Amino acid sequence: MPPKRTATAAVGKSLEARRDAARDVAIKELRALRNDMATLEAILAGRRKRGDFSLFDVAHGAFEIFRSAAAAFDAEDLLESLAEELDSVKALEFLDKHGATELVKPAGWHWISPRGEMHFLGKSGESVKAAEKLAALARGGKRGKRAAKTEEDAVAADAATPSSDTPDEA
């Protein structure tokens, strides 16, 4: 059995191929229908004789456009839902990997930091937002304080050094 990511990629590529094929067919049918409509207009205006023109071609072309465009739109919707579901699964894996748990009471995603502080990450159905919040909490903890501390040290060092703007008293 292939890995899940490989299967998901194959499904995505297959859906993209179907969408592109349906889009190409719809565009081809639109061009053909445009020509049929121009011919029909010329016949109705009296600039051209009816000959072997069939009204069924116009109706059939319109139906083919509908069918192909609907297939392209359906494939696009499936691709979007597949991407959303994939993001949700990645978020769940990230939450599990970093020790977040989905609690019943208090309801939602929670994470206990190494300091022992409980952080509310998000509602139960919002795993992507919870993963984003956890990512911000997990990586932002020490780095933010270090940057602030180095800025404080720089300000203190500037204050400690004598300024060259003041005249020296001799």
Side-chain angles (χ1 to χ4, degrees), residues 7-170:
T8 305
V11 169
K13 286 181 182 180
S14 174
L15 283 173
E16 286 175 357
R18 283 186 186 180
R19 179 197 60 200
D20 293 343
R23 185 180 296 154
D24 292 342
V25 168
I27 290 172
K28 178 184 168 192
E29 287 294 329
L30 271 171
R31 290 181 182 138
L33 182 62
R34 190 176 299 136
N35 291 338
D36 288 344
M37 295 294 285
T39 303
L40 179 61
E41 182 181 6
I43 291 171
L44 292 175
R47 295 185 308 245
R48 194 171 184 181
K49 292 190 176 187
R50 182 171 175 202
D52 62 346
F53 182 77
S54 173
L55 288 174
F56 180 74
D57 289 342
V58 175
H60 181 66
F63 179 72
E64 284 297 317
I65 292 168
F66 166 76
R67 189 180 64 80
S68 299
F73 294 153
D74 289 344
E76 187 68 33
D77 291 342
L78 284 173
L79 278 170
E80 289 174 4
S81 65
L82 181 68
E84 289 173 6
E85 198 60 34
L86 189 59
D87 289 343
S88 177
V89 168
K90 285 181 181 179
L92 287 173
E93 288 175 357
F94 180 80
L95 290 167
D96 288 340
K97 178 181 174 185
H98 286 57
T101 54
E102 186 176 6
L103 301 178
V104 175
K105 208 170 197 179
W109 284 100
H110 292 79
W111 175 66
I112 299 175
S113 70
R115 294 182 185 169
E117 301 168 341
M118 180 188 272
H119 296 275
F120 175 74
L121 302 174
K123 296 179 181 177
S124 294
E126 300 174 348
S127 59
V128 175
K129 289 181 182 178
E132 290 172 358
K133 192 168 181 181
L134 177 59
L137 285 171
R139 71 177 150 195
K142 293 181 181 176
R143 291 183 185 157
K145 289 183 181 178
R146 284 184 188 164
K149 199 171 195 178
T150 57
E151 288 176 13
E152 290 173 5
D153 291 341
V155 169
D158 288 342
T161 57
S163 176
S164 61
D165 293 340
T166 58
D168 291 331
E169 294 180 18

